[in-house]
């Protein structure tokens, strides 16, 4: 895949990444490294390190919050969890995503038929 | 999902140390608190990801996955060397800019009390409703900028009171029963001789306060992301 072909995927990834993080935090609080690894394995992260500035921004706008937990194998770890505002943002995105996905699918399937 | 143990030894690899040094240098483009946070996050990530016995190939592969320091700092909103922020980092900040401007405006036109009071209240509301500043940044804004208008009013009131009292000192005389005229102004002489150092202290405190306001405003405007 050439660089020009990758650009739309990179843009899509950038557009949904924030809410994928919120979705991963929906059920449980997570350690930053676990979030990075899971998203990286899912092919949603171009660079693992860029996740940390994103987490920092999410914390700043109060969509996620953090707490420090002692670790048995090293220094304390920062865990991330959803705030009520993050939960609302995720619910709103889910609704919008369903409509968006459905619209794109309809157009794509229509063109390829 | 299994998380590898973080024993911190993974970050001792020469390649990792060199990478973290480059990250520290690149982070100069970020506010200090953000730079520290990014550095700590990445160092911890590498410490967890790399075991103590990671080979050079594994270290190189991991560093490639993490991304170059320049990319990470750009993503964190670092101002490029030529001084123009990357387009992706420019986000809404109108409320924050308006908060800073109205609070400064209230301080500048404090003598127009009704107008200044309105601007001050508007500034405080904008400060409180900002979605981009953290609670700590809002508190910093309140202490540095929110106090501007009341402080200006207080000092002007204080100055008027002082001027009034010194004026009355110099003009007050008292005629005693035996007809002697006593100049009460002489009793205020001590106050007048004390003025120079009080003035110096007042000026130093005023300048320090103004510097605190300007530095805080700059930091708040830089972090409105």
């Amino acid at each position: 895949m050439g660089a020009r072909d990758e650009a739309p995927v990179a843009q899509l990834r950038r557009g949904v990444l924030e809410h994928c993080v919120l979705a991963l935090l929906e059920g449980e609080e997570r350690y930053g490294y676990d979030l990075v690894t899971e998203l990286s394995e899912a092919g949603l992260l171009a660079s693992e390190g860029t996740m940390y500035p994103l987490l920092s921004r999410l914390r700043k706008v109060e969509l996620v919050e953090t707490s420090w937990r002692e670790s048995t194998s090293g220094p304390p770890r920062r865990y991330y969890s959803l705030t009520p505002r993050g939960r609302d943002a995720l619910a709103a995105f889910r609704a919008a995503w369903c409509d968006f996905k459905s619209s794109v699918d309809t157009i794509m399937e229509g063109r390829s038929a | 999902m299994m998380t590898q143990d973080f024993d911190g030894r993974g970050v001792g690899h020469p390649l990792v140390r060199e990478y973290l040094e480059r990250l520290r240098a690149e982070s100069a483009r970020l506010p200090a608190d953000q730079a520290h946070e990014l550095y700590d996050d990445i160092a911890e990530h590498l410490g967890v990801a790399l075991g103590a016995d990671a080979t050079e190939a594994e270290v190189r592969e991991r560093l490639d996955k993490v991304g170059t320091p320049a990319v990470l700092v750009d993503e964190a909103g670092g101002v490029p060397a030529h001084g123009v922020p990357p387009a992706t980092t420019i986000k809404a900040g109108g409320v924050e800019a308006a908060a800073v401007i109205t609070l400064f405006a209230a301080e500048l036109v404090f003598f127009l009390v009704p107008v200044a009071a309105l601007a001050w209240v508007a500034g405080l509301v904008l400060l409180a409703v900002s979605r981009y500043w953290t609670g700590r940044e809002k508190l910093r804004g309140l202490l540095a900028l929110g106090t501007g208008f009341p402080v200006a009013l207080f000092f002007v009131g204080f100055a008027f009171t002082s001027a009034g009292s010194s004026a009355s000192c110099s003009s007050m005389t008292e005629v005693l029963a035996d007809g002697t005229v006593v100049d009460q102004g002489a009793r205020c002489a001590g106050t007048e001789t004390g003025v120079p150092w009080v003035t110096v202290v007042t000026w130093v405190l005023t300048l320090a306060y103004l510097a605190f306001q300007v530095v805080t405003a700059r930091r708040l405007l830089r972090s409105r992301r």
Side-chain angles (χ1 to χ4, degrees):
Chain A
M1 193 181 272
R4 280 174 66 92
D5 299 325
E6 283 175 9
V9 177
Q11 286 173 12
L12 281 173
R13 207 158 38 195
R14 186 177 278 276
V16 300
L17 185 58
E18 178 177 318
H19 292 92
C20 288
V21 173
L22 300 182
L24 287 178
L25 293 174
E26 193 176 19
E28 56 176 342
E29 59 177 15
R30 304 280 292 262
Y31 178 39
Y33 180 81
D34 283 345
L35 286 171
V36 173
T37 308
E38 187 155 350
L39 288 164
S40 185
E41 284 172 358
L44 289 170
L45 272 183
S47 309
E48 292 180 351
T50 56
M51 184 69 183
Y52 293 101
L54 171 65
L55 286 169
S56 176
R57 279 199 295 277
L58 291 176
R59 199 175 75 242
K60 212 165 218 180
V61 296
E62 294 167 8
L63 295 179
V64 303
E65 57 192 359
T66 59
S67 57
W68 290 92
R69 294 285 171 82
E70 291 300 327
S71 164
T72 54
S73 56
R77 293 174 169 183
R78 201 204 311 257
Y79 278 76
Y80 295 83
S81 59
L82 266 191
T83 62
R85 182 185 277 184
R87 219 169 281 285
D88 292 345
L90 178 60
F93 181 80
R94 269 215 175 94
W97 175 253
C98 286
D99 294 342
F100 179 79
K101 182 172 174 291
S102 165
S103 302
V104 174
D105 283 349
T106 304
I107 289 176
M108 289 296 162
E109 284 159 16
R111 290 287 180 274
S112 64
Chain B
M1 183 181 303
M2 282 292 292
T3 299
Q4 291 181 44
D5 289 346
F6 171 39
D7 58 11
R9 283 177 292 171
V11 295
H13 193 284
L15 284 174
V16 176
R17 284 208 306 268
E18 185 200 338
Y19 176 91
L20 290 175
E21 279 310 307
R22 281 194 290 134
L23 178 62
R24 197 189 290 281
E26 282 286 346
S27 296
R29 298 193 275 125
L30 292 169
D33 52 346
Q34 258 183 285
H36 279 300
E37 188 180 336
L38 180 63
Y39 182 92
D40 289 347
D41 282 340
I42 298 299
E44 184 180 335
H45 180 89
L46 290 170
V48 174
L50 295 169
D53 52 356
T55 64
E56 184 167 332
E58 286 168 340
V59 171
R60 286 186 187 280
E61 188 183 0
R62 177 55 61 176
L63 293 179
D64 281 348
K65 280 186 177 173
V66 169
T68 65
V71 165
L72 303 192
V73 173
D74 282 348
E75 186 67 23
V79 178
H82 52 82
V84 181
T88 54
T89 67
I90 299 173
K91 297 201 173 177
V95 169
E96 289 72 23
V100 171
I101 289 167
T102 47
L103 288 174
F104 264 129
E107 186 177 341
L108 285 173
V109 299
F110 69 92
F111 45 88
L112 304 171
V113 176
V115 178
L118 268 179
W120 182 62
V121 171
L124 291 180
V125 170
L126 291 168
L127 181 75
V129 302
S130 164
R131 286 187 64 218
Y132 295 93
W133 283 333
T134 61
R136 184 176 293 185
E137 285 169 334
K138 288 177 184 179
L139 180 63
R140 207 179 292 159
L142 179 67
L143 290 176
L145 308 178
T147 53
F149 170 57
V151 163
L153 264 188
F154 173 80
F155 272 102
V156 168
F158 180 74
F160 270 117
T161 309
S162 301
S165 68
S166 67
S168 62
C169 277
S170 59
S171 64
M172 265 179 28
T173 57
E174 187 180 351
V175 181
L176 301 179
D178 62 359
T180 315
V181 177
V182 177
D183 184 0
Q184 297 287 347
R187 293 182 191 173
C188 301
T191 313
E192 285 170 19
T193 54
V195 164
W197 73 263
V198 171
T199 308
V200 170
V201 170
T202 305
W203 272 105
V204 168
L205 287 176
T206 304
L207 290 175
Y209 178 66
L210 290 175
F212 172 55
Q213 287 191 308
V214 170
V215 169
T216 304
R218 281 190 60 184
R219 288 189 65 173
L220 289 176
L221 289 173
R222 284 181 71 184
S223 66
R224 57 187 170 124
R225 260 178 283 117

